[in-house]
Amino acid sequence: MAWFTLIFGALLMAIGIGGQIFGTRKFNALAAHDRPVRKYIITVGSLVVGLWIVAFSAAHVLHLHHSGHW
């Protein structure tokens, strides 16, 4: 289960960052100065959530490897 969560967290982080780099629209109803800020906030949010999932899963995997049980 920890391996699945680790892989899922890394995939989620990659999709979030990739979506911000390649998937943002160039036109919308927001003012021109709001677009970079929105992209920055969503990118940072994706990084925080993805890295938290990866770190949490890595801690569980290392604990299992070290102690042999959950």
Side-chain angles (χ1 to χ4, degrees):
M1 183 67 181
W3 285 106
F4 172 75
T5 308
L6 181 63
I7 293 168
F8 181 73
L11 183 65
L12 181 68
M13 183 177 62
I15 289 172
I17 293 172
Q20 289 306 307
I21 293 171
F22 301 111
T24 55
R25 292 182 288 169
K26 303 297 180 205
F27 59 92
N28 58 14
L30 295 176
H33 62 277
D34 289 340
R35 285 185 215 129
V37 174
R38 182 186 65 169
K39 184 177 178 181
Y40 178 73
I41 289 172
I42 293 175
T43 303
V44 169
S46 297
L47 277 171
V48 168
V49 170
L51 288 174
W52 185 86
I53 290 172
V54 169
F56 181 76
S57 300
H60 276 282
V61 170
L62 289 173
H63 176 73
L64 174 66
H65 180 69
H66 178 71
S67 66
H69 58 82
W70 293 109

